[in-house]
Amino acid sequence: TERKILLDSKTCLSLVRDIFNTNHFVQLCGIVIDEVGCGTARLHMPIVAEKHTNLSGNVHGGALSTLANTAVGVACCAAGCWVATQSITTNFIKNITAGHTATCEARIKHCGRTTVTVVAEIFDDEHRLMCETIATMFIKGHSDDIPSEW
């Protein structure tokens, strides 16, 4: 019998932040988890010249991909899934420079037995779309503390 867990977004946010605060790469990038729902996440990353920009002074595509991949993982975590990236595709539309903030919103589109498909969008300070991501994640396990539905 599966144990029924009652969870609200504030409690889940605290649990997910505690989990991702142990990820040194997320911390190094300065990624902040702002909000979660069951299978959704909103994160932001202030763009710092010394960390996130390329030779032309724009945010590096890898930094945006990292933000998207992290948001995808957080959305899965908020649905009780421990995951690893199987594939991820990001289409870049616009870019920003240091001093601005990139915000990513991710949501699960499909959760199967062994994989999860998640879409993510990254926006600039004025909520203009910067890039779109779709990811397929391997399910490696399930959380004892966060249910798949809440």
Side-chain angles (χ1 to χ4, degrees):
T1 305
E2 186 176 318
R3 180 172 63 116
K4 193 72 169 170
I5 302 171
L6 298 176
L7 197 65
D8 59 38
S9 59
K10 183 177 178 183
T11 302
C12 187
L13 178 61
S14 179
L15 289 168
V16 171
R17 280 181 174 163
D18 287 347
I19 292 164
F20 279 83
N21 280 340
T22 65
N23 185 315
H24 298 292
F25 186 60
V26 171
Q27 299 309 308
L28 176 69
C29 293
I31 296 171
V32 177
I33 303 168
D34 298 311
E35 184 180 313
V36 296
C38 187
T40 66
R42 186 171 48 80
L43 289 68
H44 77 272
M45 181 175 67
I47 306 304
V48 177
E50 298 77 20
K51 267 193 229 186
H52 302 112
T53 59
N54 58 23
L55 294 175
S56 66
N58 290 311
V59 65
H60 191 286
L64 293 176
S65 293
T66 295
L67 176 60
N69 197 12
T70 303
V72 164
V74 169
C76 291
C77 184
C81 291
W82 304 132
V83 297
T85 306
Q86 178 183 21
S87 68
I88 189 165
T89 301
T90 299
N91 294 315
F92 299 96
I93 300 163
K94 290 186 182 281
N95 209 319
I96 59 174
T97 56
H100 295 275
T101 299
T103 300
C104 187
E105 298 172 1
R107 67 190 173 287
I108 292 176
K109 295 295 282 184
H110 172 76
C111 187
R113 189 177 48 80
T114 58
T115 62
V116 181
T117 303
V118 186
V119 296
E121 296 175 319
I122 298 179
F123 301 95
D124 66 9
D125 294 323
E126 296 176 24
H127 204 71
R128 292 179 296 209
L129 184 64
M130 293 174 47
C131 52
E132 298 174 313
T133 296
I134 186 160
T136 301
M137 309 298 280
F138 289 115
I139 298 174
K140 297 181 64 169
H142 298 278
S143 172
D144 291 332
D145 298 319
I146 303 171
S148 60
E149 294 182 22
W150 51 274

